[in-house]
């Protein structure tokens, strides 16, 4: 009886935690009381190939202990896989509050230790160029994670809590996409340096007046029910006057903004430093936030080498990116070699119908009827809207049916999906200005929803993040050596 009471008290404390450290401490205590500590140290499980991971771990440790760097690098080059032995299986992460099987954590720790050693030690016979080639080639074959932020108006403030939680754990991906409200947050994160993000998370120095309504007459005459100029001011003050290329050079983050075309003979676009380097980021976010009826379509703006602004594709207008490409998985995979997607879904018309990652991937017989019915409904709904939009010639009707089709046909999940638990209070905030109180309220919810996902994200992302850090460090060291400023490093034998 006392044990049940203690567990109940700890579960309440877990829900009320204010920081990840506090949440982790309470979660660890719960795991100890529930017997999950014993589960963590027991390597055996049918959910992953523990023998393969154990063998790789022992081999890596042996090479490191003996300082056999050449075979160590060869093993890492050919043996690294982002989901080795199915160690990212969601069944391994839903049982304990904190962490997973210790074998998996030890393996990831050891790989990162090996990578950092190769990066930091001056190894006889291996040049900076050799190291850079090793890390670039290995990261290319290994892949990297991406963070995808959905639309959702003011509900998108939830995204800032997710990015804060990931950033504090060193797990914020370099590749970030966003549509509509998610585009705002992606651009804010992508235009601020790591040092500036710390202040941004507090929400003290940001301009908060995003929404101002136009009135009913302006709305029904096509000017939009909300003032677009007000939203533009909000974006320019919080994002700055950076192009995608300038923002990338400033922060090293690949920001991707989804926009949808007004006309049917144009495809949705994903704007970033590769596809549209000279495009102003705030302009693209304004278009991605142009929800039909609320805002009119947007002509994008570019910046030339002299800093002058001009229309980008002046005959084409763009609207809300979430209409056709809320979570642009395929294009991110092609451009950035992404192998793992962290999806943050806050769309008010989507979240209430979503299920947890564990339920979605359930394989037990009891889950089959429910899963089959869900897929059947989705299939027929998508087919119906696809047929109707092919029969309608009116542009407005076609756009509405196209929007309905894309809502049904899109994939709203990632490899791991983070979403809020909506109540009526959330919907009351949806089109209100995001003041400091709302900022903090949503941010804490985003953090709390992310903390239980840290273990599975770390298992998939930490190795890639470490390789990226090593590449950045080696490039800086090479630059300093060329300038005659590099510190001497200890030489070890291969």
């Amino acid at each position: 009886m006392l044990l049940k009471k203690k567990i109940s008290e700890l579960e309440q404390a877990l829900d009320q935690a204010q920081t990840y450290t506090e949440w982790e401490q309470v979660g660890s205590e719960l795991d100890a009381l529930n017997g999950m500590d014993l589960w963590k140290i027991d390597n055996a499980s049918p959910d992953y190939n523990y023998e393969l991971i154990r063998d790789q771990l022992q081999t890596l440790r042996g090479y490191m202990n003996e300082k056999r760097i050449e075979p160590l690098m060869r093993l890492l080059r050919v043996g690294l896989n982002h989901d080795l032995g199915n160690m990212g299986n969601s069944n391994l992460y839903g049982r304990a509050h904190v962490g997973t099987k210790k074998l998996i954590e030890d393996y990831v720790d050891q790989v990162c230790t090996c990578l950092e050693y190769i990066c930091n030690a001056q190894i006889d016979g291996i040049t900076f160029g050799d190291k850079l080639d090793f890390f670039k080639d290995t990261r290319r074959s290994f892949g990297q994670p991406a963070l995808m932020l959905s639309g959702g108006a003011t509900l998108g403030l939830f995204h800032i809590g997710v990015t804060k939680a990931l950033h504090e754990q060193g797990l914020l991906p370099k590749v970030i996409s966003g549509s509509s409200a998610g585009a705002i947050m992606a651009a804010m994160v992508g235009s601020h340096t790591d040092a500036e993000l710390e202040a941004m998370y507090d929400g003290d120095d940001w301009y908060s007046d995003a929404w101002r309504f136009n009135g009913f007459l302006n709305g029904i005459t096509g000017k939009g029910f909300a003032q677009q100029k007000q939203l533009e001011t909000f974006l320019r003050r919080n994002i700055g006057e950076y192009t995608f290329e300038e923002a990338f050079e400033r922060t090293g983050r690949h920001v991707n903004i989804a926009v949808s075309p007004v006309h049917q003979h144009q495809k949705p676009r994903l704007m970033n430093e590769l596809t549209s380097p000279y495009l102003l980021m705030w302009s693209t976010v304004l278009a991605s936030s142009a929800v039909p009826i609320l805002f009119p379509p947007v002509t994008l703006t570019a910046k030339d080498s002299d800093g002058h602004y001009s229309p980008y594709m002046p005959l084409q207008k763009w609207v809300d990116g979430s209409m056709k490409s809320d979570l642009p998985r395929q294009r991110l995979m092609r451009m950035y070699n992404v192998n793992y997607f962290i999806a943050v879904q806050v769309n008010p018309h989507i979240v209430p119908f979503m299920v947890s990652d564990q339920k979605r991937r359930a394989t037990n017989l009891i889950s089959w009827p429910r899963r089959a019915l869900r897929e059947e409904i989705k299939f027929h709904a998508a087919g119906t809207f696809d047929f109707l939009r092919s029969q309608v010639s009116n542009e407005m009707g076609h756009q509405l049916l196209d929007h309905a089709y894309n809502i049904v046909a899109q994939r709203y999940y990632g490899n791991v999906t983070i979403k809020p638990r909506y109540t009526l209070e959330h919907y009351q905030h949806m089109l209100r200005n995001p003041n400091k109180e709302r900022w903090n309220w949503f941010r804490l919810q985003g953090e709390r929803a992310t903390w239980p996902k840290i273990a599975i994200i770390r298992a998939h992302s930490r190795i890639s993040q470490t390789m990226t850090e090593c590449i950045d460090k080696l490039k800086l060291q090479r630059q300093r050596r060329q300038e005659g400023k590099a510190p001497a490093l200890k030489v070890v034998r291969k």
Side-chain angles (χ1 to χ4, degrees), residues 99-139:
T100 182
K101 293 289 188 181
K102 189 174 185 300
L103 175 64
I104 295 174
E105 295 175 344
D106 288 346
Y107 170 75
V108 173
D109 286 344
Q110 187 62 55
V111 169
C112 292
T113 297
C114 293
L115 293 171
E116 290 166 352
Y117 180 83
I118 293 168
C119 174
N120 295 327
Q122 186 173 344
I123 305 168
D124 186 32
I126 298 179
T127 66
F128 272 88
D130 294 333
K131 287 186 180 183
L132 270 173
D133 289 341
F134 164 77
F135 281 108
K136 287 180 178 178
D137 291 342
T138 306
R139 186 181 65 174

Side-chain angles (χ1 to χ4, degrees), residues 285-448:
V285 175
L286 184 66
S288 188
S289 303
V291 180
I293 301 177
L294 268 182
F295 297 105
V298 173
T299 300
L300 300 176
T301 306
K303 183 198 292 188
D304 64 21
S305 57
D306 295 323
H308 299 138
Y309 293 2
S310 61
Y312 173 87
M313 297 180 66
L315 297 180
Q316 180 66 59
K317 292 183 180 292
W318 307 87
V319 294
D320 184 3
S322 65
M323 287 182 63
K324 294 188 177 182
S325 190
D326 197 37
L327 304 178
R329 296 168 58 103
Q330 295 299 322
R331 281 172 287 174
L332 292 175
M333 289 174 66
R334 287 197 299 268
M335 283 188 283
Y336 298 106
N337 192 31
V338 173
N339 61 13
Y340 188 73
F341 292 94
I342 305 165
V344 189
Q345 184 56 252
V346 300
N347 266 309
H349 59 288
I350 300 297
V351 170
F353 304 100
M354 298 181 75
V355 297
S356 68
D357 290 335
Q358 285 77 16
K359 288 184 179 179
R360 187 166 57 91
R361 298 192 179 104
T363 57
N364 55 298
L365 289 174
I366 297 176
S367 69
W368 285 14
R370 173 178 49 81
R371 292 168 58 202
L373 178 62
R374 187 170 66 240
E375 291 301 318
E376 189 73 9
I377 292 173
K378 181 178 178 180
F379 173 79
H380 287 293
T384 300
F385 286 124
D386 190 31
F387 170 77
L388 290 174
R389 67 177 181 169
S390 69
Q391 303 300 307
V392 174
S393 57
N394 176 270
E395 186 168 324
M396 179 60 72
H398 183 88
Q399 286 184 30
L400 291 173
L401 289 168
D402 196 40
H403 187 28
Y405 169 78
N406 283 286
I407 287 176
V408 175
Q410 285 190 59
R411 296 176 62 183
Y412 292 99
Y413 294 91
N415 296 99
V416 62
T417 306
I418 302 171
K419 60 185 179 68
R421 286 180 273 182
Y422 281 157
T423 63
L424 181 60
E425 186 176 5
H426 287 84
Y427 291 94
Q428 293 172 343
H429 285 295
M430 195 166 69
L431 291 177
R432 293 182 180 178
N433 275 311
N435 59 27
K436 181 66 180 294
E437 181 182 358
R438 293 189 186 98
W439 175 282
N440 291 335
W441 188 68
F442 278 106
R443 185 193 64 195
L444 184 56
Q445 291 179 56
E447 291 181 85
R448 286 172 174 167

